[in-house]
Amino acid sequence: MSDPNVRVLIADDHTMVRESLAGLLRGAGVDVVAQAADGEETLQRAQELRPDVVVTDLSMPGLNGLEVVRRLREQAPAARVLVLTMHQEDEYILQAVRAGASGYVVKDSPAAELLAAVREVHAGRGYFGPQAARALAEQLRHPERDLGDPYGRLTAREREVFHLIADGLTTKEIARRLTISVKTAENHRARVLDKLDVRNSAELVRYASRKGLVD
């Protein structure tokens, strides 16, 4: 797929994985413009460098991959997002697509599949590995089955509060971080807990860990 005009940003919290992917893509003639180790760095690099394709994992420290996909759609809409992850569960696949991913490939796929996925996504088409394709087809056949997750129903601000709670910040610390009043932070926190059907911060952290939303 030799095409130096394809500019790719790789996001994964494992250095060896990033470097291996970069070597594979460069060997195929792709211009790897940058690498990122977490969600915040991914967004920063995407806004600075405007890559054509962002290849991102879902499990990263801090801001997780699903939130990165959502924010890329808003902050770098020209970038196409290809999820490359170990998660094969239908729930993750559907959430990623709903968040705006153009492709989904699992990490144990052959190298040729990743290269094909980058090519297809860059061309403006979608690319979904066998498991992802089955999950999407099943959802189309049975749209009444809700395999989504309440996290996806949080607003952008509520997702920010969610991750700050998961990081262990208190309500006052969240208020300072987001430059809002303590009362407003309390209201956001209450809505997040209510939407996720959890009773306190400890349950929220367990929920986040179970769903792969924190590292």
Side-chain angles (χ1 to χ4, degrees), residues 122-134:
H122 176 249
R125 298 182 288 268
Y127 188 97
F128 300 92
Q131 178 62 28
R134 283 193 293 271

PDB file of all heavy atoms in Angstrom, residues 122-134:
ATOM      1  N   HIS A 122      -8.417   5.298   5.188  1.00  0.00           N
ATOM      2  CA  HIS A 122      -7.899   6.514   4.557  1.00  0.00           C
ATOM      3  C   HIS A 122      -8.689   6.868   3.303  1.00  0.00           C
ATOM      4  O   HIS A 122      -8.879   8.053   2.981  1.00  0.00           O
ATOM      5  CB  HIS A 122      -6.417   6.338   4.203  1.00  0.00           C
ATOM      6  CG  HIS A 122      -5.839   7.505   3.471  1.00  0.00           C
ATOM      7  ND1 HIS A 122      -5.464   7.449   2.151  1.00  0.00           N
ATOM      8  CD2 HIS A 122      -5.573   8.774   3.886  1.00  0.00           C
ATOM      9  CE1 HIS A 122      -4.998   8.632   1.778  1.00  0.00           C
ATOM     10  NE2 HIS A 122      -5.055   9.447   2.813  1.00  0.00           N
ATOM     11  N   ALA A 123      -9.165   5.855   2.602  1.00  0.00           N
ATOM     12  CA  ALA A 123      -9.928   6.077   1.365  1.00  0.00           C
ATOM     13  C   ALA A 123     -11.364   6.515   1.628  1.00  0.00           C
ATOM     14  O   ALA A 123     -12.121   6.758   0.690  1.00  0.00           O
ATOM     15  CB  ALA A 123      -9.915   4.805   0.526  1.00  0.00           C
ATOM     16  N   GLY A 124     -11.721   6.607   2.898  1.00  0.00           N
ATOM     17  CA  GLY A 124     -13.070   7.056   3.227  1.00  0.00           C
ATOM     18  C   GLY A 124     -14.071   5.939   3.386  1.00  0.00           C
ATOM     19  O   GLY A 124     -15.279   6.184   3.511  1.00  0.00           O
ATOM     20  N   ARG A 125     -13.562   4.701   3.382  1.00  0.00           N
ATOM     21  CA  ARG A 125     -14.440   3.552   3.588  1.00  0.00           C
ATOM     22  C   ARG A 125     -14.217   2.997   4.991  1.00  0.00           C
ATOM     23  O   ARG A 125     -13.239   3.308   5.652  1.00  0.00           O
ATOM     24  CB  ARG A 125     -14.163   2.475   2.537  1.00  0.00           C
ATOM     25  CG  ARG A 125     -14.425   2.931   1.108  1.00  0.00           C
ATOM     26  CD  ARG A 125     -14.181   1.821   0.113  1.00  0.00           C
ATOM     27  NE  ARG A 125     -12.762   1.531  -0.057  1.00  0.00           N
ATOM     28  CZ  ARG A 125     -11.991   2.091  -0.968  1.00  0.00           C
ATOM     29  NH1 ARG A 125     -12.475   3.010  -1.782  1.00  0.00           N
ATOM     30  NH2 ARG A 125     -10.707   1.759  -1.068  1.00  0.00           N
ATOM     31  N   GLY A 126     -15.126   2.170   5.442  1.00  0.00           N
ATOM     32  CA  GLY A 126     -14.968   1.536   6.741  1.00  0.00           C
ATOM     33  C   GLY A 126     -14.244   0.206   6.599  1.00  0.00           C
ATOM     34  O   GLY A 126     -14.241  -0.399   5.515  1.00  0.00           O
ATOM     35  N   TYR A 127     -13.593  -0.215   7.683  1.00  0.00           N
ATOM     36  CA  TYR A 127     -12.977  -1.537   7.681  1.00  0.00           C
ATOM     37  C   TYR A 127     -13.187  -2.172   9.050  1.00  0.00           C
ATOM     38  O   TYR A 127     -12.774  -1.623  10.073  1.00  0.00           O
ATOM     39  CB  TYR A 127     -11.477  -1.473   7.392  1.00  0.00           C
ATOM     40  CG  TYR A 127     -10.879  -2.852   7.208  1.00  0.00           C
ATOM     41  CD1 TYR A 127     -10.694  -3.381   5.941  1.00  0.00           C
ATOM     42  CD2 TYR A 127     -10.547  -3.644   8.312  1.00  0.00           C
ATOM     43  CE1 TYR A 127     -10.169  -4.661   5.770  1.00  0.00           C
ATOM     44  CE2 TYR A 127     -10.032  -4.920   8.150  1.00  0.00           C
ATOM     45  CZ  TYR A 127      -9.852  -5.423   6.881  1.00  0.00           C
ATOM     46  OH  TYR A 127      -9.359  -6.688   6.716  1.00  0.00           O
ATOM     47  N   PHE A 128     -13.821  -3.345   9.043  1.00  0.00           N
ATOM     48  CA  PHE A 128     -14.104  -4.035  10.292  1.00  0.00           C
ATOM     49  C   PHE A 128     -13.704  -5.501  10.155  1.00  0.00           C
ATOM     50  O   PHE A 128     -14.112  -6.177   9.211  1.00  0.00           O
ATOM     51  CB  PHE A 128     -15.586  -3.898  10.647  1.00  0.00           C
ATOM     52  CG  PHE A 128     -16.009  -2.469  10.825  1.00  0.00           C
ATOM     53  CD1 PHE A 128     -16.526  -1.735   9.763  1.00  0.00           C
ATOM     54  CD2 PHE A 128     -15.838  -1.841  12.052  1.00  0.00           C
ATOM     55  CE1 PHE A 128     -16.873  -0.407   9.922  1.00  0.00           C
ATOM     56  CE2 PHE A 128     -16.187  -0.514  12.230  1.00  0.00           C
ATOM     57  CZ  PHE A 128     -16.698   0.216  11.161  1.00  0.00           C
ATOM     58  N   GLY A 129     -12.860  -5.938  11.110  1.00  0.00           N
ATOM     59  CA  GLY A 129     -12.427  -7.327  11.119  1.00  0.00           C
ATOM     60  C   GLY A 129     -13.613  -8.267  11.283  1.00  0.00           C
ATOM     61  O   GLY A 129     -14.745  -7.826  11.515  1.00  0.00           O
ATOM     62  N   PRO A 130     -13.384  -9.575  11.159  1.00  0.00           N
ATOM     63  CA  PRO A 130     -14.484 -10.555  11.188  1.00  0.00           C
ATOM     64  C   PRO A 130     -15.391 -10.442  12.406  1.00  0.00           C
ATOM     65  O   PRO A 130     -16.616 -10.446  12.268  1.00  0.00           O
ATOM     66  CB  PRO A 130     -13.742 -11.893  11.172  1.00  0.00           C
ATOM     67  CG  PRO A 130     -12.449 -11.598  10.491  1.00  0.00           C
ATOM     68  CD  PRO A 130     -12.079 -10.214  10.923  1.00  0.00           C
ATOM     69  N   GLN A 131     -14.821 -10.324  13.611  1.00  0.00           N
ATOM     70  CA  GLN A 131     -15.643 -10.239  14.809  1.00  0.00           C
ATOM     71  C   GLN A 131     -16.456  -8.957  14.824  1.00  0.00           C
ATOM     72  O   GLN A 131     -17.645  -8.949  15.163  1.00  0.00           O
ATOM     73  CB  GLN A 131     -14.772 -10.313  16.067  1.00  0.00           C
ATOM     74  CG  GLN A 131     -15.549 -10.188  17.386  1.00  0.00           C
ATOM     75  CD  GLN A 131     -16.551 -11.319  17.587  1.00  0.00           C
ATOM     76  OE1 GLN A 131     -16.348 -12.411  17.081  1.00  0.00           O
ATOM     77  NE2 GLN A 131     -17.621 -11.045  18.308  1.00  0.00           N
ATOM     78  N   ALA A 132     -15.838  -7.855  14.438  1.00  0.00           N
ATOM     79  CA  ALA A 132     -16.546  -6.579  14.409  1.00  0.00           C
ATOM     80  C   ALA A 132     -17.659  -6.602  13.375  1.00  0.00           C
ATOM     81  O   ALA A 132     -18.769  -6.104  13.625  1.00  0.00           O
ATOM     82  CB  ALA A 132     -15.567  -5.451  14.114  1.00  0.00           C
ATOM     83  N   ALA A 133     -17.388  -7.193  12.219  1.00  0.00           N
ATOM     84  CA  ALA A 133     -18.400  -7.267  11.167  1.00  0.00           C
ATOM     85  C   ALA A 133     -19.597  -8.094  11.628  1.00  0.00           C
ATOM     86  O   ALA A 133     -20.760  -7.750  11.361  1.00  0.00           O
ATOM     87  CB  ALA A 133     -17.792  -7.870   9.899  1.00  0.00           C
ATOM     88  N   ARG A 134     -19.319  -9.199  12.344  1.00  0.00           N
ATOM     89  CA  ARG A 134     -20.421 -10.025  12.849  1.00  0.00           C
ATOM     90  C   ARG A 134     -21.263  -9.254  13.870  1.00  0.00           C
ATOM     91  O   ARG A 134     -22.488  -9.334  13.873  1.00  0.00           O
ATOM     92  CB  ARG A 134     -19.866 -11.305  13.481  1.00  0.00           C
ATOM     93  CG  ARG A 134     -19.428 -12.356  12.484  1.00  0.00           C
ATOM     94  CD  ARG A 134     -19.202 -13.706  13.161  1.00  0.00           C
ATOM     95  NE  ARG A 134     -18.060 -13.660  14.066  1.00  0.00           N
ATOM     96  CZ  ARG A 134     -16.808 -13.916  13.689  1.00  0.00           C
ATOM     97  NH1 ARG A 134     -16.544 -14.234  12.435  1.00  0.00           N
ATOM     98  NH2 ARG A 134     -15.821 -13.871  14.568  1.00  0.00           N
TER      99      ARG A 134
END
